[in-house]
Amino acid sequence: MAEKRAAVVGVSAENIPGSKIMLVYVVLLGLSMSLIALTVDPYLPAFPEIGQFFGVTNGVVQSTFTGVTLGIAVGQLVIGPLSDAYGRKPLLMLALGGYLLATFVSFLAANLEVFLIARMLMGFFAAGGDVVGRAIIRDLYRGRAMQQFLARIYLIQALTPIVGPIVGAQIAENLGWKSVFLIFSIVVLALLFAVTFFLSESLPIDLRRSSSVFEMLQAFREVLSDRTFIGLVIYGALQIGGLYAYLSFAPFIYRESYGMSAAEIGMWLAINGILGYVGVQVGSLLARAIKGQWILVSTGSAGCLIGLFLVLNSNGEFWITQTLFALILFNYGLGLTVVPTIALYAHGSEAGTATSLIGTINFAFTTLISVFFFLFDSSTSAGVGILIAFLFFGSLLAFSILSRPWLIPDLRRVENV
């Protein structure tokens, strides 16, 4: 059985959605994989009202993120491996059902303690929607086909961080902050209903792993023994750290170096976000002509150069800084779908475990690196440039030493089934 699982890199053709229902899968999986963003972004504008309702300071309200992020980390580690043993659809339905319940409890919460627990559970089940969604995609596709499908999924995911705060602010202003939870619980209820009736199981019973703790630990061991996978995980985590550095520093640089208002800062951040979306689509097209591993080498190298130019342009012209910020997002988007495509290629039967490790390590590293941001000046582009150059160089080094891109097969030539 172990040999059979090791050889599995795709499922039978009849399990792959045809063109007529492809759009349904893109929407359902895209929304399921957007639950983490929906757990955070729509509620940011309501922070002051939440503090007033519970009679606590803004700092206490901000600390609710600790519960959310803890729930996300645990959810990634638990739900992914369980989906390898019990199937994708039951675990996705469990994640959506749990998220629905936690969201409704947040709406009803009369004290801060209940609210914190409900928010932690929202993070836990949101992580389940993300990790199981990615595992389903790996069940159905591999190689270039998987990358193209991920690019379509990103059409949904990319909208969430942009639309979420806008919608959340309008709901909170017109209906009260608790209504944000109520309305999003209705959305998730509709999503659960659609998944129940329109999504098919993607992992056949004969390809599932045992549900024993030993077997689950064995799945972790198999994934962690793959040096290509480890190199790609480190590569992705370091670059996400660079992206998080940009998100943390850019608003202060716009304001303190160039005297922008909040509205102007929001506009430029949105423009940069659009460039990230364009990068994902361009990366998907480039993968038809260029091996994915060389796209990653190129984006790693470009990130180093962008960081160095940000250092050199400290206190320099706005348009140079803005162009470099836009290039950060575009460059990051180029490799966004390539990393999971290569990382999950050899892990068809333990895709849930593999995706859970990717998510957990990315989350843990981003949290860790943010602790050191205060050491760098946030008023000019020099500090964020140093961080980006260092992190992208580290990603390139890890990918080269561990994953050895010259040994990775050409996934453009891989048949899906």
Side-chain angles (χ1 to χ4, degrees), residues 245 249 253 307 310-311 314 375-389:
F249 281 79
I253 295 170
L310 282 169
V311 174
S314 179
L375 298 174
F376 297 86
D377 181 13
S378 62
S379 63
T380 73
S381 63
V384 70
I386 292 171
L387 281 166
I388 289 172

Side-chain angles (χ1 to χ4, degrees), residues 28-75:
L28 295 184
L29 294 179
L31 289 174
S32 298
M33 294 164 61
S34 299
L35 287 183
I36 291 178
L38 286 176
T39 305
V40 176
D41 297 314
Y43 310 98
L44 296 177
F47 265 20
E49 288 77 14
I50 294 174
Q52 292 174 8
F53 180 86
F54 291 118
V56 297
T57 65
N58 290 341
V60 174
V61 177
Q62 288 174 324
S63 71
T64 61
F65 273 128
T66 303
V68 173
T69 53
L70 177 62
I72 292 172
V74 176

Side-chain angles (χ1 to χ4, degrees), residues 220-282:
F220 278 109
R221 190 194 69 80
E222 290 178 10
V223 173
L224 291 173
S225 64
D226 179 359
R227 61 182 293 165
T228 299
F229 176 87
I230 295 300
L232 283 161
V233 170
I234 296 174
Y235 176 96
L238 288 170
Q239 292 202 3
I240 288 176
L243 178 67
Y244 194 77
Y246 153 78
L247 293 172
S248 299
F249 281 79
F252 297 103
I253 295 170
Y254 282 134
R255 181 180 296 277
E256 297 181 26
S257 287
Y258 304 108
M260 292 186 178
S261 65
E264 290 172 323
I265 292 172
M267 179 189 70
W268 287 114
L269 290 175
I271 290 173
N272 295 341
I274 293 171
L275 264 292
Y277 161 78
V278 173
V280 171
Q281 305 308 316
V282 172

Side-chain angles (χ1 to χ4, degrees), residues 8-19 21-22 25 136 138-142 145 200-204 207 415-417:
V8 172
V9 290
V11 295
S12 58
E14 59 267 21
N15 288 326
I16 299 175
S19 58
I21 60 173
M22 176 71 73
Y25 270 63
I136 290 173
R138 174 56 189 85
D139 290 339
L140 300 176
Y141 299 100
R142 62 188 182 123
S200 301
E201 176 57 56
S202 62
L203 185 63
L207 297 181
E415 296 295 334
N416 191 54
V417 294

Side-chain angles (χ1 to χ4, degrees), residues 124-143:
F124 178 89
F125 290 113
D130 179 70
V131 72
V132 176
R134 294 179 188 278
I136 290 173
I137 295 171
R138 174 56 189 85
D139 290 339
L140 300 176
Y141 299 100
R142 62 188 182 123

